[in-house]
Amino acid sequence: METIQSNKNTEQNNEHHKISNATKSFLLFINCVLVTVGSVAGPLLMRLYYLHGGKKRWLSSWLLTAGFPLLIFPISVSFFKNRKRNSRTTTIFVTPWLVMASAFLGFILGFSVYLYSIGISYLPISIYSLLCTTQLAFTAIFAFLVVRHKFTHYSINAVVLMILGSAILGLHLDGDRPNGVSDDKYRSGFFMTIVGAAIHGFMLPAVEYTHMKAGVPVTTNIVMQIQFLIMMFATLFCTVPMIINKDFQGIAQESREFGLGARNYFMIIIFAGLSLQMNVLGSLGVIFWSSSLFGGILTASLVPIQQICAVIFIGEKFVAENGIALAMCLWAFISYFYGQYKINHRRKKAPISHEEEQVTV
């Protein structure tokens, strides 16, 4: 009887494990969808904003994180479910250390999105999106330094290709420069986008490190609270300059002067904000359910879609240098993805020690 009961318990535990894995896969898929929609639609809408007379860069930065109150509802639902289901010892609130870490990450996020907003105001989407893929290279470097992910031949190959692709774009500064953008502004946009990608590349492993050092079980509710705090502090970082520059008061006047009309102005602003919000939420979710490196890979893989949409909906040119840089970016992505596949396949065939598991990508 005891043996039968033990087998039943084992089956129940295995079934619970399967359900748990299925749930994790579903949540990862949902977050990947959020990243995909946000990464493609957000930059296109913000480029439309700048093309037709928009000038408020802090506003576009603010839109990316200002939707953080939307997280209150799922946090509340998860909170009450955990309170009924779990024991008293289960932690359901973030710790003071997590609050401080979230504040630091929020300020980093706010600064990086401001640099991105400068870049997209001066650069066409084709160049901007390719430069943003350098985030994968920076993520790989900082993941090695911050969370001890090991470099492989494939990841080194990906980093080198990303750097060479950016160098090719940097040598081609005039062929696709938008009308009305001076050489200095174009170079400024180029440089700011690279710096923004570097800061964002640091932030992804930093978020993963925060989860590792949380000191409490990192549940879905805790992750959503961290997301809420990061975006709240990022919004605060962008709100202060907006108040100083009186950007809120100038929205009505800018909408009247907008090239596509006031109605389309607010439509673009609203949907851009929603798209960018989806991108940030999805990125943080991908880090939790997978890793920071997978988040960088996913972002890099969306570049061809961004390129195609920019050509179709905005009518941007796609010159030869862009094609070479895109090919190098795709090859870097394939190399990195194949490296990840080989590592995972090796893990399944020969289990590794706990220490190796923490340092292997």
Side-chain angles (χ1 to χ4, degrees):
M1 290 295 293
E2 291 180 359
T3 304
I4 296 174
Q5 185 64 35
S6 177
N7 291 335
K8 286 184 178 180
N9 291 336
T10 302
E11 291 176 0
Q12 289 176 355
N13 290 334
N14 291 337
E15 185 65 25
H16 176 73
H17 182 67
K18 290 179 181 179
I19 294 173
S20 178
N21 286 338
T23 302
K24 290 178 181 178
S25 299
F26 175 74
L27 291 173
L28 177 61
F29 172 76
I30 293 297
N31 283 284
C32 288
V33 171
L34 292 177
V35 172
T36 301
V37 175
S39 296
V40 175
L44 285 173
L45 291 169
M46 290 316 304
R47 186 59 190 155
L48 275 177
Y49 167 78
Y50 287 115
L51 279 175
H52 296 282
K55 298 177 181 178
K56 300 185 183 301
R57 295 187 184 90
W58 282 111
L59 173 62
S60 62
S61 305
W62 184 83
L63 288 171
L64 197 144
T65 58
F68 69 91
L70 296 174
L71 283 170
I72 293 177
F73 176 73
I75 288 174
S76 301
V77 172
S78 179
F79 170 80
F80 288 112
K81 283 185 177 180
N82 288 339
R83 196 171 185 180
K84 291 179 180 179
R85 187 181 305 166
N86 296 337
S87 64
R88 296 178 183 177
T89 58
T90 302
T91 302
I92 53 179
F93 290 114
V94 292
T95 62
W97 185 88
L98 285 175
V99 174
M100 291 187 292
S102 298
F104 173 71
L105 294 171
F107 292 146
I108 287 179
L109 176 61
F111 184 56
S112 68
V113 297
Y114 176 67
L115 296 177
Y116 277 146
S117 68
I118 295 176
I120 201 170
S121 66
Y122 294 143
L123 301 175
I125 291 291
S126 56
I127 298 296
Y128 172 81
S129 60
L130 285 169
L131 291 177
C132 286
T133 60
T134 58
Q135 174 191 315
L136 175 59
F138 290 114
T139 299
I141 294 171
F142 286 119
F144 170 75
L145 297 174
V146 177
V147 290
R148 298 182 60 206
H149 283 312
K150 185 187 294 183
F151 271 117
T152 65
H153 298 298
Y154 303 100
S155 59
I156 292 173
N157 182 49
V159 170
V160 171
L161 288 171
M162 292 287 182
I163 293 173
L164 290 176
S166 299
I168 290 174
L169 294 176
L171 295 173
H172 180 68
L173 291 177
D174 295 325
D176 50 10
R177 180 162 52 88
N179 296 329
V181 176
S182 65
D183 288 342
D184 290 339
K185 289 182 177 179
Y186 190 90
R187 292 189 183 95
S188 175
F190 193 96
F191 176 74
M192 293 300 181
T193 304
I194 290 288
V195 175
I199 295 174
H200 202 192
F202 166 76
M203 181 185 167
L204 297 180
V207 171
E208 187 175 353
Y209 179 82
T210 301
H211 294 162
M212 292 168 56
K213 300 296 182 179
V216 295
V218 182
T219 62
T220 305
N221 186 271
I222 293 292
V223 169
M224 287 191 293
Q225 291 180 54
I226 294 173
Q227 290 176 332
F228 179 89
L229 290 171
I230 290 174
M231 298 178 71
M232 182 186 72
F233 284 111
T235 303
L236 177 63
F237 180 89
C238 297
T239 301
V240 173
M242 287 189 67
I243 294 174
I244 295 173
N245 296 332
K246 298 182 179 180
D247 284 347
F248 289 109
Q249 295 91 321
I251 290 177
Q253 181 180 351
E254 187 176 68
S255 66
R256 291 192 293 268
E257 298 172 354
F258 192 65
L260 299 177
R263 183 173 178 273
N264 287 327
Y265 173 87
F266 287 108
M267 291 286 289
I268 289 173
I269 290 296
I270 292 171
F271 283 107
L274 291 173
S275 300
L276 294 171
Q277 183 73 32
M278 292 169 66
N279 187 17
V280 174
L281 285 174
S283 297
L284 295 174
V286 166
I287 294 171
F288 175 66
W289 295 113
S290 181
S291 69
S292 57
L293 288 171
F294 179 77
I297 293 171
L298 176 63
T299 301
S301 68
L302 295 173
V303 171
I305 301 176
Q306 293 172 328
Q307 301 274 333
I308 294 170
C309 291
V311 172
I312 294 175
F313 296 108
I314 302 181
E316 290 188 353
K317 297 179 181 179
F318 192 79
V319 296
E321 287 83 355
N322 292 16
I324 295 173
L326 177 60
M328 297 180 74
C329 169
L330 291 176
W331 184 253
F333 164 70
I334 293 171
S335 172
Y336 202 95
F337 187 81
Y338 181 70
Q340 293 295 105
Y341 167 78
K342 288 197 69 175
I343 289 171
N344 292 333
H345 183 67
R346 195 182 306 126
R347 281 178 177 174
K348 292 178 180 179
K349 291 182 66 176
I352 57 179
S353 67
H354 178 69
E355 293 182 358
E356 291 176 328
E357 189 173 341
Q358 292 190 4
V359 299
T360 305
V361 178

